[in-house]
Amino acid sequence: MRDIINAALDAAEVAGASYADARVVDSSREELRVANGVVEGVEHADSFGIGVRAIADGAWGFASSREVTAAEAVRVARQAVAIARASALVAGTAVRLAPVEPARGTWSGCCAIDPFAVSLEDKLALLLAADEVLCLQPEVTLTEAHLGFYRERKWFGSTEGAFTEQSWTESGAGLVAYAVREGEVVSRSYPNSHGGGWQQAGWEYIAGLDLVGNAPRIAEQAAALLTAPYVDPGTRDIILDGGQVSLQVHESIGHPTELDRVLGEEAAFAGTSWVKLEDAGSLRYGSEHVTVTADATIPGSLGSFGWDDEGVPAQRDTIVRAGVLESFLGSRETSPLLGRASNGCMRADGWNRIPLVRMTTVSLEPGTWDFDDLVADTEGGLYLETNNSWSIDDKRLNFQFATEIGWEIKDGKLGRMVKNPNYTGITPQFWGACDAICSRKHWQVWGLPNCGKGEPMQVSHVAHGAAPARFRNVQVGVGR
């Protein structure tokens, strides 16, 4: 593969590129779905190709091909340079890249048992067994169970002398039970909603989820939600479970601190950001308890790698420290605007897409509380678990989220179950109301394999570390 990448890089330089990089990506994806005891789908897809990025006359050009040969690499490189020169005809600031030591080496993610080597019969047997248990609950009239696997091998080279090879495997699974009565539908998911749980791991992760063992609890809670009350509108203290905190971090801290959004370069798909470049070092983003990091080195996280798609090494950076905005998620092109080197956040969704600024593992750092002590310390409020829906404006400032289930907290104890509890807030005020975060014992990394961004849209695999956290005086029960 090195010869093909070198052919592309040489051709780009001969054509006049001042910089070029080339990525060859070989990936496989498998999805299995069961609903109400019936196999609904078994899909497998492979993708293999090369993409070349080039700078010429101060502008970017990109071209790609599914034919991975030296001759085609040369053609694609020349096309990328031609596109760059055409782009340079439009007035703009010339591209400048922060310096980086040329990356060289190999990296691979965690995977003990290759999930692609496990038979389809065994995978479907697991899904059908879990689905059968869900169906035992009479109120549950629709069930879904799914498995997903992804494998990628990637080679990267640049005209600066970089050459790396990386490979990893991801595994995911989930269950959903829908209970229906008199036109009302409620859902309960495990281990998370909107795609289930995901890790950079093999079949051992699926086995550890114990889908069959957790199915009775999920089905019983779905049935109980049918008769549970809604939350009365008002202002309450709330404790969010780790999964909901992870989505809150994703939408209201991760996306707003992506530098391409901050600079207005990424606006069409999901908006820009309420945060400004000059806010670094001074903006009060949250309370003193809120420290957020971006870490691409956590083993098993979907946001981990050896190098990003610009050859910048994986690293850990602090985005918010004790409530104050300290840094952004950046690239070799955007980070110099802060006077800093790239913190390695450029990734592309395959060989035929340009890299964008993407989250790695953006996490709310753990606090010191035990969960039981946190509930006991809460005189009145709500404990909310598992996201059901989310809505946030295009600057990531004003939001409304709902969870599948919740429990009232009275006199420091969990009480009555409530259905579909929702809450709303303004990003800095909400994070400013965070006064307690559970300890590392309760902290885990939540994989998110479907973060959409860009046009044409790219789907990135990111993750968030989070533990249950408490927020004071939050508006709940809105819109009912």
Side-chain angles (χ1 to χ4, degrees):
M1 210 59 69
R2 185 188 290 268
D3 291 342
I4 292 173
I5 287 179
N6 284 341
L9 300 177
D10 290 344
E13 286 191 312
V14 169
S18 58
Y19 168 85
D21 57 39
R23 285 177 293 114
V24 175
V25 181
D26 183 6
S27 64
S28 298
R29 183 184 303 276
E30 186 177 274
E31 299 280 347
L32 303 91
R33 291 190 176 276
V34 165
N36 279 17
V38 176
V39 177
E40 281 210 327
V42 177
E43 301 174 7
H44 183 99
D46 297 313
S47 180
F48 184 47
I50 182 172
V52 178
R53 238 179 20 154
I55 299 174
D57 298 338
W60 282 112
F62 176 77
S64 62
S65 174
R66 64 179 181 179
E67 183 181 336
V68 184
T69 65
E72 181 68 358
V74 168
R75 186 194 69 78
V76 167
R78 289 170 177 167
Q79 186 176 45
V81 174
I83 292 172
R85 285 192 161 136
S87 299
L89 297 176
V90 179
T93 304
V95 176
R96 292 183 179 178
L97 300 180
V100 62
E101 189 70 23
R104 299 185 183 92
T106 61
W107 181 89
S108 59
C110 311
C111 179
I113 304 172
D114 180 4
F116 290 89
V118 176
S119 70
L120 289 178
E121 289 78 9
D122 287 347
K123 293 169 181 171
L124 290 173
L126 173 62
L127 292 180
L128 289 167
D131 188 84
E132 182 178 7
V133 176
L134 293 177
C135 291
L136 292 176
Q137 189 71 40
E139 294 86 350
V140 173
T141 57
L142 175 61
T143 60
E144 294 178 354
H146 73 270
L147 292 170
F149 306 99
Y150 179 76
R151 177 172 59 204
E152 182 167 316
R153 190 176 181 189
K154 176 164 55 185
W155 298 262
F156 170 89
S158 78
T159 52
E160 296 173 335
F163 188 85
T164 63
E165 178 179 348
Q166 305 184 70
S167 61
W168 65 90
T169 300
E170 300 171 359
S171 298
L175 305 175
V176 189
Y178 297 91
V180 182
R181 177 183 292 175
E182 297 177 353
E184 183 178 34
V185 181
V186 295
S187 62
R188 193 72 181 103
S189 306
Y190 172 81
N192 204 356
S193 55
H194 313 309
W198 281 80
Q199 276 193 8
Q200 207 173 75
W203 183 255
E204 70 278 5
Y205 172 67
I206 304 299
L209 289 176
D210 188 14
L211 296 178
V212 177
N214 280 281
R217 175 178 60 85
I218 295 304
E220 290 165 7
Q221 289 183 345
L225 282 170
L226 284 174
T227 55
Y230 289 102
V231 173
D232 292 331
T235 301
R236 310 281 288 275
D237 295 339
I238 63 173
I239 298 174
L240 303 181
D241 79 309
Q244 181 62 21
V245 171
S246 74
L247 187 64
Q248 190 77 50
V249 169
H250 180 90
E251 301 293 352
S252 64
I253 298 180
H255 279 310
T257 57
E258 294 167 337
L259 261 181
D260 53 354
R261 290 182 185 273
V262 173
L263 297 170
E265 298 171 355
E266 165 61 27
F269 182 72
T272 56
S273 174
W274 67 281
V275 183
K276 301 179 181 62
L277 194 66
E278 56 269 27
D279 287 336
S282 61
L283 176 69
R284 172 58 67 177
Y285 210 110
S287 72
E288 62 184 6
H289 305 282
V290 176
T291 291
V292 177
T293 57
D295 191 343
T297 68
I298 299 175
S301 169
L302 294 195
S304 289
F305 45 80
W307 300 267
D308 76 354
D309 286 337
E310 292 190 309
V312 177
Q315 55 198 271
R316 175 184 170 91
D317 195 11
T318 300
I319 306 302
V320 176
R321 187 186 301 276
V324 177
L325 179 71
E326 186 167 291
S327 185
F328 294 92
L329 308 174
S331 65
R332 291 187 66 186
E333 184 178 358
T334 56
S335 293
L337 298 174
L338 289 166
R340 301 175 183 178
S342 171
N343 52 8
C345 297
M346 284 289 271
R347 288 191 289 162
D349 177 12
W351 50 269
N352 56 352
R353 294 289 184 267
I354 59 171
L356 300 174
V357 175
R358 305 308 301 253
M359 294 174 237
T360 55
T361 306
V362 178
S363 305
L364 178 65
E365 291 298 298
T368 58
W369 286 79
D370 185 80
F371 178 75
D372 290 340
D373 292 340
L374 184 58
V375 173
D377 186 67
T378 305
E379 184 176 351
L382 297 164
Y383 169 59
L384 311 181
E385 194 173 282
T386 313
N387 182 264
N388 193 30
S389 65
W390 73 97
S391 176
I392 190 165
D393 69 28
D394 60 359
K395 289 188 177 296
R396 306 279 157 173
L397 188 61
N398 189 342
F399 62 80
Q400 179 177 317
F401 289 169
T403 63
E404 292 182 344
I405 194 169
W407 287 268
E408 294 177 335
I409 302 173
K410 287 186 176 180
D411 300 325
K413 295 180 180 178
L414 293 178
R416 187 173 60 164
M417 177 187 294
V418 294
K419 73 173 77 173
N420 197 26
N422 63 24
Y423 63 97
T424 187
I426 304 295
T427 294
Q429 286 88 338
F430 181 78
W431 286 107
C434 178
D435 78 332
I437 303 169
C438 286
S439 67
R440 188 164 293 280
K441 181 178 76 172
H442 304 280
W443 191 90
Q444 74 174 82
V445 175
W446 301 79
L448 199 159
N450 50 11
C451 175
K453 184 177 177 181
E455 288 190 359
M457 191 178 82
Q458 299 190 34
V459 177
S460 185
H461 301 190
V462 304
H464 306 282
R470 183 173 63 191
F471 301 82
R472 297 289 195 180
N473 300 316
V474 177
Q475 185 71 37
V476 302
V478 294
R480 301 200 61 82

